[in-house]
Amino acid sequence: MRNVRDAPSGTVTFLFTDIEGSTRRWEERPAEMRVALAVHDEILHDAIEMHGGHLVKNTGDGAFAVFTDAHDGVDAALAAQVALATAEWPGGVGLRVRMGLHLGAATVQDGDYVGTDVNRTARLMSVAHGGQIVCSRPVRDLVSDRFALVDLGEHRLRDLYSSVHVFQVDVPGSESAFPPLRSLDARPGNLPRQITTFVGRETLIASLARLVLDCPVLTLTGVGGVGKTRLALQVAAEVVADFPDGAWVCEFAPVTDRGAVWDALATSLRVQVLPGRTLEESVLEFLAAKQLLLVLDNCEHLLQQISGQVDAITQRCERVTVIATSREGLGLAGERIVAVPTLTIPAHEADIETLLATDAVRLFSDRANAANADFRLSDHNASTVGVLCRRLDGIPLAIELAAARVRSLAPEDLVARLDQRFKLLSRGSRSALEHHQTLRSTIDWSYDLLDPAERHALDRLSVFAGSCDLTAAESVLVSDDLDVLDAADVLGQLVDKSLVVAEADELDGGVRYRLLESIRQYAAERLAVDGETAAVRRRHADHYVGVAETVGPHLRNGDQIEWAHAALRDLDNFRAVLEWSADEPSSDHALRLVAPFTVTGMAIGVAALDWAEVASAIPGAADHPLYPEVAAFASLGATFAADFERAEARVVAAERTQAALGTPVSPVLTARAVLAIFQGDPERARRYSEEWVEIARAAADPYELSHALLPLAGTHHAEPDIAIILLEEAIEVSRSGHIANSLSIALPFLAGLLPKEDSVRALTLLDEAIEVSTRLGDRWGVSLVTSAKGSMAYQHGDRETTLSSAVEMAEQRIEIGELSSMSLPFYLGGLVLYELGCPEPAGVLIGKADAIVHTNVMGEPLTSVLQHGEITLLEVRDQPGFAALADRGAALGNAAATEYLRAQSDALLRGSPRAGDP
């Protein structure tokens, strides 16, 4: 691959070349081909370079190049053909090369040219013969003033979309008469022309094309609307050149008579009944003499009959290959079944370039532009389109139906209405098959083919959010009419029918099951109609409360990392149970669900901080034995969010229930100690922390002790020697007990307190901290490392690292909701900006930090930072106009202040334009 950074952009001329019959030559004479290919490459590269072209890459036995001027592209092709015709080939191996030229837009992605025009050039080249140069009309219009061209007429290429007017470039001194082009028009068959472009799935098409040539029957399965038909047709177009008698399509969707499958096939093949033969015998006799490809579409409602038909064909007609599309496989010997995946969708945090590269977004953009010529993907709407494609699970039909709506609705409006998707996505093409005209009709088609047990099972599975394992599925499926064995069997049948997705569980090698969101909403409606929703959701809640209670103890011992990751698999289901508990209401379910997850320093615990608030507010919760633990955790979450009034209310309520029930006091002491630290009362925090440590020592509980030592160390920030001793004990206890979530906090905390001369040890501690936090999935621990590194950089005079760390830690704080400690990045950023000659933005940021600062924040060496920069802080506050600057900073929200800090940092570190007022 050549560097395309300096390659032509805008509208360019693409050139593709390929050696005719290279596969056979490599098999027959590999040694000569190796030498011949080197000669071939040198000729092509010289011709391209000599005429100002840019070689993008070698394409196996060919080349791909681009030219700014179409004349240069034709000159290069002509020069190459002349040189190839007169070259001395080793062992008499003469290579004949076909070439195609097309004019189009240059789009670069991941260091390569991509897009429709690139694909069209490759397809144009593929219909030519060795020694022949062909070009499209746009190229012909530009070069006809200099070159002799032959009009070869309109031809359908393998994209099945639109015809291309093809012209041949005459090569002086060479033959000008070639066989007919290898376009779709040159082969018999009935492959239908498509009215829309085929978007994406290039890799899948290539692999399926190879597979078709290696097996007698290929069945494409998948949920309705996933694009099985269009994919089958595209694969057929790719391989039709390998079938002298063409590719023939038989559409079975309109066939309702099970005895009419041979009639339908005969009609598609245009076969008449032979005298003295049955229709079946006539079709088989016709096919036995042919080498062709059959595409049998929408087979699921006639599965038994079509299976018998295909079996007869493969037994009698050895040169016939079948591609079938069905919700499930045909069940034949020698059949290869490929489940067609949904289109690739962008990740939640994908940037604009990544969004635009995903197949789902590309399809939406293409179809939306067809529906509304003014529609364009932009920085403003791209992320919303990404959300839309994710929520539609990358199902092509759903995306196309949504895109058609941009005539009257913006992408934001579409996303807002997806909970009513069956009403929203109800205007498909009138020319489409009836069951492809709306999203509901597509799912109706599949649902109506299920037996009663399968329907009931699918409906019940709709209560799951995200995926589930087999045990969870059985918890809602098993009932009076379905035992455990039957439940597993029915689940497997739904997987076979493409209505349930089965995926490998990377953690334990098992299987996880899930419904696509459109299927889930459909099944949920059916469950409600049957009046089963309440009972099935309660079973779902009972199961996941049990899961939480099983996981909880493991989150407090040496195997916490493995169990924490395992719990994350069911995060969506836990949320669904909590929502149900609040709606029911059932405080027992909610508190029993949340209490096991009241752990800090791991992703499941971060989620539980919010869950604890919801559970604590459910009527009747305050009388439950688990209430003090959950309410205290809710108080902790409120403290981190800088909502100290709510934090106080929750911890008081926890204390009240605790006093009445006589339950353990550690959770309340935790909440009290941390709240006191953030509220600026280290003495009170110390009393609570010391009591917590004493209880933990008496109980010989390493988990409690390792966590209790952390806030106690935080209360000794002004006495770093004491804090260091406490933190070193916490680290020792954490390591011996393999308690990662306390270690991830203690390590950066200690690193930030070590004296300047111990920087080597501090960096070693931070390296360990980032490794532990990453394994744990502890974003707070990662942010503490960033804080410590920024503080150390400031102490060592590294202003650039300090400033970039300040930006990073501010963004991390906002991401995890750690708003109580937002002052540190603004202090650091303000100090550095002032020292680098930017007093005005420094005043804004210091003013913002002053407005939110409370005191030393647990886990952050704020005191040492302020001591190190004490004189600078005084200078900033004493500068003229500081009060006004501070007021501007105080008026900013955390997100706006962070953006302001980033803009100022970019202006200094990257030389970008200086940001103005916030």
Side-chain angles (χ1 to χ4, degrees), residues 583-898:
D583 292 340
E584 184 62 14
S586 174
S587 59
D588 179 67
H589 280 89
L591 294 169
R592 288 170 57 206
L593 177 81
V594 175
F597 299 134
T598 54
V599 291
T600 56
M602 55 187 74
I604 192 72
V606 172
L609 287 170
D610 294 328
W611 299 350
E613 176 62 28
V614 174
S616 299
I618 295 177
D623 298 326
H624 198 284
L626 292 174
Y627 179 80
E629 181 177 354
V630 175
F633 203 64
S635 173
L636 200 63
T639 298
F640 292 154
D643 188 346
F644 300 120
E645 183 177 347
R646 179 164 60 88
E648 179 69 22
R650 283 287 174 240
V651 75
V652 167
E655 288 172 331
R656 187 181 303 118
T657 302
Q658 178 181 274
L661 298 176
T663 52
V665 297
S666 291
V668 175
L669 290 173
T670 306
R672 275 296 184 195
V674 175
L675 178 58
I677 288 175
F678 279 98
Q679 285 183 318
D681 191 345
E683 291 302 321
R684 186 159 57 99
R686 188 173 303 162
R687 290 197 302 272
Y688 288 124
S689 299
E690 287 174 344
E691 185 178 355
W692 183 11
V693 168
E694 184 179 340
I695 292 173
R697 290 193 194 281
D701 187 332
Y703 179 87
E704 288 291 331
L705 180 58
S706 66
H707 284 81
L709 289 167
L710 298 176
L712 182 57
T715 67
H716 286 282
H717 243 309
E719 305 164 291
D721 290 344
I722 298 176
I724 288 172
I725 292 172
L726 292 169
L727 289 171
E728 287 178 334
E729 182 184 0
I731 290 171
E732 182 182 352
V733 173
S734 298
R735 284 175 174 160
S736 61
H738 303 286
I739 305 166
N741 63 331
S742 56
L743 190 61
S744 67
I745 298 172
L747 289 168
F749 195 173
L750 176 59
L753 287 176
L754 291 176
K756 186 176 179 179
E757 54 270 21
D758 282 348
S759 59
V760 174
R761 183 191 178 199
L763 290 174
T764 301
L765 292 171
L766 292 178
D767 287 341
E768 182 182 357
I770 200 69
E771 188 271 332
V772 172
S773 296
T774 301
R775 283 195 299 118
L776 195 58
D778 178 11
R779 293 180 296 168
W780 192 39
V782 172
S783 74
L784 292 179
V785 173
T786 305
S787 300
K789 285 186 175 180
S791 301
M792 289 174 59
Y794 184 69
Q795 292 172 0
H796 286 267
D798 183 350
R799 301 300 182 252
E800 182 173 331
T801 300
T802 304
L803 196 53
S804 60
S805 295
V807 173
E808 187 177 358
M809 73 176 78
E811 292 176 340
Q812 289 171 341
R813 294 292 193 275
I814 290 176
E815 181 186 357
I816 63 177
E818 178 56 72
L819 305 182
S820 299
S821 54
M822 287 298 295
S823 56
L824 178 58
F826 298 140
Y827 273 131
L828 283 175
L831 288 169
V832 173
L833 286 168
Y834 185 83
E835 293 170 5
L836 293 178
C838 303
E840 182 173 328
V844 171
L845 291 168
I846 296 299
K848 173 62 179 176
D850 285 344
I852 62 176
V853 71
H854 297 285
T855 188
N856 309 338
V857 178
M858 181 178 66
E860 294 183 338
L862 187 54
T863 299
S864 59
V865 174
L866 295 180
Q867 288 174 346
H868 185 74
E870 184 176 354
I871 296 177
T872 306
L873 273 176
L874 292 175
E875 289 179 2
V876 176
R877 292 177 177 134
D878 285 344
Q879 67 176 309
F882 172 75
L885 294 173
D887 287 343
R888 283 167 52 191
L892 292 175
N894 286 314
T898 299

Side-chain angles (χ1 to χ4, degrees), residues 12-58:
V12 300
T13 297
F14 299 106
L15 168 66
F16 269 90
T17 76
D18 182 57
I19 299 171
E20 184 177 57
S22 62
T23 301
R24 175 178 52 80
R25 292 171 182 269
W26 276 109
E27 291 175 352
E28 295 174 353
R29 307 175 70 176
E32 289 89 343
M33 273 297 291
R34 275 191 289 272
V35 179
L37 186 62
V39 175
H40 160 276
D41 289 349
E42 183 177 358
I43 289 173
L44 281 174
H45 296 178
D46 287 348
I48 292 166
E49 183 177 352
M50 185 183 305
H51 293 91
H54 182 92
L55 178 65
V56 180
K57 59 183 174 182
N58 292 318

Side-chain angles (χ1 to χ4, degrees), residues 66 68 70 95 163 269 427 460-461 470 494 520 587 614 621 627 670 717 759 769 790 918:
V66 293
T68 303
L95 300 185
S163 298
L269 293 171
R427 296 182 183 176
R460 292 167 186 168
L461 291 171
L470 179 59
L494 292 173
R520 193 198 66 76
S587 59
V614 174
Y627 179 80
T670 306
H717 243 309
S759 59

Side-chain angles (χ1 to χ4, degrees), residues 61-130:
D61 293 336
F64 171 28
V66 293
F67 299 82
T68 303
D69 189 293
H71 294 86
D72 293 336
V74 177
D75 277 330
L78 286 169
Q81 288 289 23
V82 171
L84 288 165
T86 58
E88 294 186 7
W89 300 103
V93 177
L95 300 185
R96 292 171 58 81
V97 177
R98 50 188 178 179
M99 302 182 181
L101 294 139
H102 177 57
L103 191 76
T107 302
V108 176
Q109 175 187 312
D110 297 332
D112 195 6
Y113 285 98
V114 297
T116 303
D117 290 316
V118 174
N119 294 336
R120 180 146 295 196
T121 310
R123 294 184 186 283
L124 182 64
M125 175 270 294
S126 69
V127 303
H129 298 274

